Amino acid sequence: MDETQKALADRLFPAVKPPEELELRNIPPEQRRLHTETADLTVSSIYQYLANGKLKIPEFQRGYVWTRMQASRLLESLIIQCPIPVVYFSQDTNNDLMVIDGNQRLLSIKLFMNDAFQLEGLTTYPELNGQSWSTLDPRFRDHILNRTLRCITILRDTHPQIKFDVFERLNTGSVQLNSQELRHGINFGYLIEQLDELTKNEKWKKAVGIRVDKRMKGAELVLRFFALRYSRANYTKPLSSFLDQFSSTHKAAAPATVTVWSEDFTSTVDRAEHALGKLTFRLFEEDLNTVTAFNSALYDAEMIAFSETNNQIIIDKRYDPIELRSKIAILLKDERFSNSIKRATSDETSVAYRISTFKNFLDGYTNGI
């Protein structure tokens, strides 16, 4: 094949790296079973659960996108007793339920019962077009309230990774949810809320190059720091499964603990930004010009090292940033370190090496030497 043609094709149609596979085979066989409970809940019961917070639609779910006509046709289906697709819930540790499939249907019902819209586009009962919940004949309202929906709940004693796998199988919408969006749904709690809050840090946003984050990439990077900072000894690839496990284990972490972690994150970002400025989390040459945009593997090394260093010179910022950057540029040229942030970056040896090497560099740094 002509090399020029091949080079052009490689640029126009680059190979897409497949997503990391869930390591379900690492789970003991007896823990791979899915524990579920099936119930037929009345519309009235579901509405009450949504109203009192017993049933939640987590933030990761795509916003309400149904048209008024789609929502109206759903209500008409309830009236004529047309079967409605199964709704799936996930049970949390405190027995609360999260909607993992069916949020558009449930939100449509809730909105109509809150008088948020009038029926339109009905074909079986066009006489009801223009009616809201409050103007609907009480007999129709009672009929809707007494209709039942088949609900399948994935119980809390299901292994988190199995629950995550099922979550992905149900994720069949036009826009597939990514790993972090799924984690937000399965493991929603104080830790997940703090991830979202920390992504608003302006220094950090500038360093990682995130301007508009619609798919929770920032939250995943914050989670990545927490997981490697506080559970690095348990790291095994793939990274995605490691993050799943960490967020599951710590979803109910005490607010005081998460607050300490958050303060650590904020101070670490400040240290890294002071030391490297616009070069933070980027590869650069000895002339201090960047050669790449944000590098997530280098992010691991720098964040953990600046967080864990015991060098008081670094902690107190008693150094010349330009001199420090020049020394870091030399480290970035080291072949083994360079490989650890460019190739097979999720391998256990690569993760351990790049973090320990950068930390050792900071720990041993001395002004003017």
Side-chain angles (χ1 to χ4, degrees):
M1 179 185 295
D2 180 84
E3 289 301 318
T4 302
Q5 180 187 166
K6 181 178 182 302
L8 179 60
D10 287 343
R11 290 184 61 185
L12 294 177
F13 310 106
V16 178
K17 182 180 179 181
E20 295 176 307
E21 295 295 328
L22 296 172
E23 293 293 299
L24 298 180
R25 64 178 180 272
N26 291 338
I27 301 173
E30 64 274 12
Q31 295 183 31
R32 296 178 196 168
R33 290 191 293 269
L34 182 66
H35 301 278
T36 63
E37 183 177 84
T38 303
D40 291 324
L41 298 180
T42 64
V43 169
S44 177
S45 296
I46 291 174
Y47 178 79
Q48 289 301 320
Y49 286 161
L50 287 169
N52 64 24
K54 180 69 176 176
L55 176 62
K56 301 181 179 69
I57 297 176
E59 293 181 6
F60 78 92
Q61 293 275 25
R62 59 189 177 134
Y64 185 65
V65 297
W66 270 20
T67 65
R68 291 292 180 251
M69 185 175 294
Q70 285 175 298
S72 298
R73 293 296 296 275
L74 172 69
L75 273 301
E76 187 178 44
S77 294
L78 291 173
I79 293 171
I80 66 176
Q81 302 192 81
C82 179
I84 306 298
V86 174
V87 176
Y88 288 87
F89 303 148
S90 174
Q91 184 184 48
D92 208 343
T93 52
N94 58 3
N95 292 325
D96 284 343
L97 302 175
M98 292 280 188
V99 180
I100 61 175
D101 190 63
N103 66 313
Q104 300 295 309
R105 280 164 275 159
L106 299 190
L107 278 173
S108 293
I109 293 170
K110 180 181 179 182
L111 287 170
F112 183 66
M113 291 177 65
N114 287 343
D115 265 351
F117 65 92
Q118 297 175 338
L119 298 174
E120 62 179 69
L122 303 186
T123 56
T124 304
Y125 291 114
E127 299 90 345
L128 299 180
N129 284 327
Q131 298 297 319
S132 62
W133 177 255
S134 60
T135 63
L136 202 60
D137 187 288
R139 289 166 291 184
F140 281 114
R141 293 205 299 262
D142 289 342
H143 182 73
I144 292 172
L145 289 171
N146 290 324
R147 279 297 312 277
T148 59
L149 301 182
R150 175 60 55 92
C151 303
I152 297 179
T153 300
I154 301 173
L155 300 177
R156 64 183 183 183
D157 54 351
T158 298
H159 190 285
Q161 198 62 66
I162 298 299
K163 186 179 286 190
F164 192 90
D165 181 55
V166 173
F167 216 132
E168 284 201 314
R169 293 169 191 252
L170 293 173
N171 174 26
T172 56
S174 58
V175 178
Q176 292 279 302
L177 301 177
N178 63 35
S179 294
Q180 189 59 33
E181 290 168 329
L182 291 171
R183 291 184 199 108
H184 266 59
I186 297 173
N187 301 317
F188 192 79
Y190 190 70
L191 173 62
I192 292 295
E193 288 182 312
Q194 283 302 107
L195 298 183
D196 293 335
E197 192 63 30
L198 291 171
T199 61
K200 299 174 184 177
N201 183 299
E202 290 299 328
K203 287 184 180 179
W204 182 82
K205 284 170 63 177
K206 186 175 181 180
V208 299
I210 293 178
R211 292 193 180 95
V212 179
D213 186 6
K214 295 182 179 180
R215 301 302 306 276
M216 298 187 180
K217 179 62 177 175
E220 183 172 76
L221 287 171
V222 179
L223 177 65
R224 184 165 169 155
F225 167 71
F226 284 160
L228 290 173
R229 175 69 173 87
Y230 298 105
S231 190
R232 191 160 69 254
N234 300 319
Y235 177 74
T236 57
K237 68 176 184 179
L239 176 63
S240 182
S241 293
F242 173 64
L243 297 181
D244 296 342
Q245 188 61 49
F246 182 86
S247 59
S248 173
T249 301
H250 298 285
K251 66 180 178 181
T257 298
V258 178
T259 297
V260 171
W261 293 357
S262 299
E263 290 172 351
D264 179 24
F265 172 85
T266 302
S267 63
T268 298
V269 170
D270 186 59
R271 283 183 195 172
E273 193 277 335
H274 177 83
L276 288 159
K278 66 179 182 180
L279 305 177
T280 312
F281 314 141
R282 288 161 172 76
L283 297 177
F284 56 91
E285 300 284 0
E286 292 181 63
D287 61 4
L288 305 187
N289 285 317
T290 57
V291 295
T292 65
F294 172 78
N295 181 293
S296 58
L298 185 58
Y299 168 84
D300 297 337
E302 292 182 359
M303 284 292 288
I304 301 302
F306 276 108
S307 173
E308 296 183 358
T309 184
N310 56 17
N311 189 339
Q312 209 60 44
I313 293 175
I314 300 296
I315 295 171
D316 295 339
K317 302 174 184 174
R318 292 186 284 107
Y319 59 85
D320 177 3
I322 300 301
E323 180 187 85
L324 179 63
R325 294 168 196 177
S326 296
K327 297 288 180 61
I328 291 175
I330 296 173
L331 173 62
L332 296 178
K333 288 288 187 180
D334 178 82
E335 183 177 3
R336 186 177 176 188
F337 184 81
S338 178
N339 287 339
S340 75
I341 59 176
K342 293 179 180 178
R343 303 174 186 171
T345 56
S346 66
D347 283 355
E348 291 89 342
T349 52
S350 293
V351 172
Y353 182 79
R354 65 175 176 259
I355 291 175
S356 63
T357 299
F358 205 97
K359 181 178 181 299
N360 290 339
F361 166 80
L362 290 184
D363 287 347
Y365 180 78
T366 304
N367 281 321
I369 298 178

